Amino acid sequence: MPKNYLLLKQALLLVEFLSAIVGLVYFIKLKKSHWRWFSTYLAFIFAQECFWFFDTSPTGATKQIYYTFVGVPVQYLFFFWLYAYKSLGSKRKFLSCSLIYLLSYIPLHTFLTTFNVVYSLNLTVGTILLSYLIVLEFLKQIQNDNILKFKENKMFYITIGTILFYIGTYPFFTFYNELRNEPYLPIWNIYYYYYMISNCIMYLLFTASFIWGKHHS
């Protein structure tokens, strides 16, 4: 592994640790707010990444199996819940998005015998659904004065982070294997740097959402 890649992985783990610590500090202050679950989510993400950073499995499964059926789905399902159910106030949208996303795993489980971390079908479905919810969130924000108070809006920080990472890295994972071929390897390297840096920025924005965002937003 190139030294720069290792440094980026270490930086990402440090940023995830920071977001988890800040989230846990605010967990105590949030009382019965649903934002306590965001704190719990960040702690979960740091825990799983810490396990895999040191090449230990929290479940006994391989890294590919774990992320395919646990690590990645938890992330998409959490953001469906946060956007659709809590921010947009639509239980129906949350259940619909979750069901559609989970159904995309049927062909994966039925026809494939080996697993990579991310498959194009699941990634495409998850990203399209998340993008749809993000658009609805923006429409909600511009319909009132909340857009003028974006610095105090927790969802503003979270949305910018998810756009940069989940939507911004979609082409990288969709064409992951193709880009690793020799003619396109420089593009893969550039996009890998974007993947790591945008991941770091996203967790810094999540941290900022606790510090500067109002918890009733």
Side-chain angles (χ1 to χ4, degrees):
M1 178 184 297
K3 185 177 180 181
N4 288 343
Y5 290 179
L6 180 59
L7 289 174
L8 284 172
K9 286 191 172 185
Q10 291 172 338
L12 176 58
L13 190 66
L14 180 62
V15 171
E16 289 171 338
F17 173 72
L18 175 64
S19 67
I21 291 297
V22 171
L24 290 175
V25 168
Y26 278 86
F27 181 90
I28 301 171
K29 302 178 180 180
L30 293 175
K31 297 180 180 179
K32 296 182 179 180
S33 169
H34 70 275
W35 289 113
R36 293 185 115 192
W37 290 107
F38 188 44
S39 302
T40 305
Y41 169 79
L42 293 176
F44 169 80
I45 292 296
F46 169 70
Q48 77 170 9
E49 296 303 321
C50 193
F51 275 115
W52 291 113
F53 182 85
F54 295 104
D55 293 323
T56 57
S57 173
T59 63
T62 64
K63 184 176 183 179
Q64 289 74 19
I65 293 291
Y66 175 82
Y67 275 103
T68 299
F69 292 106
V70 180
V72 173
V74 164
Q75 295 175 50
Y76 277 107
L77 292 173
F78 175 81
F79 284 111
F80 294 162
W81 171 82
L82 182 62
Y83 278 97
Y85 190 41
K86 302 309 295 186
S87 184
L88 298 173
S90 176
K91 184 177 181 179
R92 182 177 180 180
K93 284 187 175 64
F94 165 60
L95 293 176
S96 298
C97 289
S98 299
L99 180 60
I100 293 170
Y101 176 72
L102 292 174
L103 285 175
S104 71
Y105 273 83
I106 292 178
L108 173 64
H109 181 69
T110 304
F111 299 111
L112 298 177
T113 56
T114 58
F115 300 95
N116 292 321
V117 172
V118 178
Y119 275 92
S120 181
L121 176 60
N122 311 119
L123 181 69
T124 298
V125 172
T127 304
I128 288 174
L129 292 171
L130 184 58
S131 300
Y132 164 69
L133 294 175
I134 286 174
V135 169
L136 293 181
E137 175 65 23
F138 273 125
L139 291 175
K140 170 193 168 185
Q141 296 296 333
I142 64 176
Q143 288 176 356
N144 51 50
D145 292 337
N146 286 343
I147 193 65
L148 302 176
K149 302 176 182 179
F150 65 91
K151 292 182 180 179
E152 300 175 355
N153 191 334
K154 283 178 67 67
M155 290 302 296
F156 170 78
Y157 297 98
I158 293 170
T159 298
I160 296 301
T162 54
I163 289 174
L164 286 174
F165 180 70
Y166 287 94
I167 299 176
T169 60
Y170 170 71
F172 177 61
F173 283 111
T174 301
F175 303 105
Y176 188 89
N177 291 325
E178 289 79 3
L179 292 174
R180 293 213 71 173
N181 293 330
E182 187 63 34
Y184 306 106
L185 195 55
I187 299 176
W188 186 93
N189 288 328
I190 293 171
Y191 224 140
Y192 182 80
Y193 281 117
Y194 174 81
Y195 158 73
M196 294 299 295
I197 293 171
S198 65
N199 209 354
C200 290
I201 293 173
M202 178 177 69
Y203 283 100
L204 287 174
L205 287 168
F206 289 172
T207 304
S209 75
F210 284 104
I211 298 172
W212 293 307
K214 290 186 177 180
H215 303 297
H216 56 74
S217 61

